Amino acid sequence: MEVVINKKEILDELAAKEIIELVKRKPNANLGLATGSSPVGLYEKLITDHKVNKTNYKFVKTFNLDEYIGIPIDHEQSYHTFMYKVLFKHLNINLKNTNFPKQDDPKSYTVLLKNNPIDLQILGIGSNGHIAFNEPGTSFDSTTQYVDLAESTIKDNSRFFDSIDDVPKKAVTMSLKDIMMAEKIILLAFGKNKAEAINQLVNGEKTEDCPATILQTHPNLTLFIDEDAASLL
Ligand code: GLP
């Protein structure tokens, strides 16, 4: 794995450049995308580039990592809505080419991903080491599935809801195995509350107690992390 430590602004720029170069080289690229606050700066860079340089997303397909269960996909805090607001509506992307794991049919995502291998996967990481919504204890062999969110994830994500009681307790997530199939992975992590999870990922043993440690054996993984997230390395 490659670890790049720099200021967030610079890392957002570098990550955006990777996507832009890929889309220019391969106009029908399959992009794996993440929600959460970590990729928002990168998405802003893509939007600016699209406005200025007209990078074309018409033939790109996107595959998001996860979605809540228990709220409709048009809910203001659903990941469908989040992606539309922070990225999709600003690019010339065909919404028919944007994909999420299905709330009523999780298994179909694994088949879809087999038929559409991801060229570049953008990832965040939970403070407890989760990736997508694969919480600690998830089997490394599981397939796209329903999951119960960890207490710490519900707490972390409550900042987006009026109260912690409004945070869904369940989700549907791309599996660890599916994530590992991506040709290239860029993981973004910023801030002190990610330091422990990043330290586990880089220096810890590979264990289902910290789902992100599965990435240790990915052949093409780059971590883009700031000084705070790197502070325990
Ligand atoms: C959520 C998402 C994850 C994301 C994580 C970190 O739980 N399901 O995919 O990586 O949040 O979020 P943030 O980037 O806001 O710290």
Side-chain angles (χ1 to χ4, degrees), residues 1 8 19 56 59 72 92 98-99 149 163 208:
M1 103 178 56
K8 181 179 181 302
I19 293 183
N56 186 11
F59 305 111
N92 69 329
T98 64
N99 300 280
L149 300 184
S163 101
E208 291 173 353

Side-chain angles (χ1 to χ4, degrees), residues 35-38 65-66 79 124-126 130 132-133 153 157 159 194:
T35 52
S37 53
S38 304
L65 290 168
D66 43 20
Y79 285 168
I125 187 169
H130 76 228
F133 267 140
T153 301
N157 290 359
R159 67 201 143 119
K194 301 293 170 74

Side-chain angles (χ1 to χ4, degrees), residues 11-183:
L11 298 171
D12 288 342
E13 194 70 60
L14 288 175
K17 209 169 147 220
E18 294 269 357
I19 293 183
I20 293 161
E21 279 172 6
L22 169 63
V23 170
K24 283 189 174 148
R25 196 169 66 241
K26 187 175 178 188
N28 63 344
N30 291 330
L31 299 179
L33 299 179
T35 52
S37 53
S38 304
V40 170
L42 143 70
Y43 295 156
E44 284 168 0
K45 303 279 180 206
L46 294 183
I47 293 164
T48 305
D49 164 79
H50 175 66
K51 278 193 189 130
V52 177
N53 302 314
K54 308 273 174 283
T55 301
N56 186 11
Y57 291 87
K58 195 169 165 193
F59 305 111
V60 165
K61 285 190 197 155
T62 65
F63 299 86
N64 261 82
L65 290 168
D66 43 20
E67 180 55 282
Y68 289 117
I69 299 283
I71 57 173
I73 57 173
D74 60 358
H75 186 281
E76 61 168 352
Q77 289 304 335
S78 78
Y79 285 168
H80 282 73
T81 303
F82 177 89
M83 289 306 300
Y84 181 72
K85 277 193 187 154
V86 302
L87 188 65
F88 298 155
K89 75 169 180 179
H90 305 282
L91 304 178
N92 69 329
I93 201 157
N94 182 347
L95 287 178
K96 289 199 177 110
N97 289 338
T98 64
N99 300 280
F100 291 77
K102 285 199 166 56
Q103 288 173 317
D104 58 353
D105 182 12
K107 303 282 176 224
S108 62
Y109 213 43
T110 293
V111 179
L112 186 70
L113 292 167
K114 264 208 183 96
N115 295 331
N116 297 273
I118 289 179
D119 296 292
L120 174 58
Q121 175 70 56
I122 302 298
L123 280 185
I125 187 169
S127 60
N128 64 358
H130 76 228
I131 48 175
F133 267 140
N134 295 285
E135 297 285 18
T138 305
S139 162
F140 284 162
D141 290 323
S142 65
T143 51
T144 301
Q145 58 177 347
Y146 294 125
V147 288
D148 292 316
L149 300 184
E151 278 305 316
S152 60
T153 301
I154 292 171
K155 203 166 148 237
D156 283 352
N157 290 359
S158 63
R159 67 201 143 119
F160 300 115
F161 292 83
D162 291 339
S163 101
I164 194 160
D165 297 332
D166 295 338
V167 185
K169 311 286 179 287
K170 286 184 184 297
V172 57
T173 184
M174 194 191 288
S175 71
L176 296 170
K177 253 173 139 177
D178 290 334
I179 293 170
M180 287 293 280
M181 296 302 287
E183 169 93 21

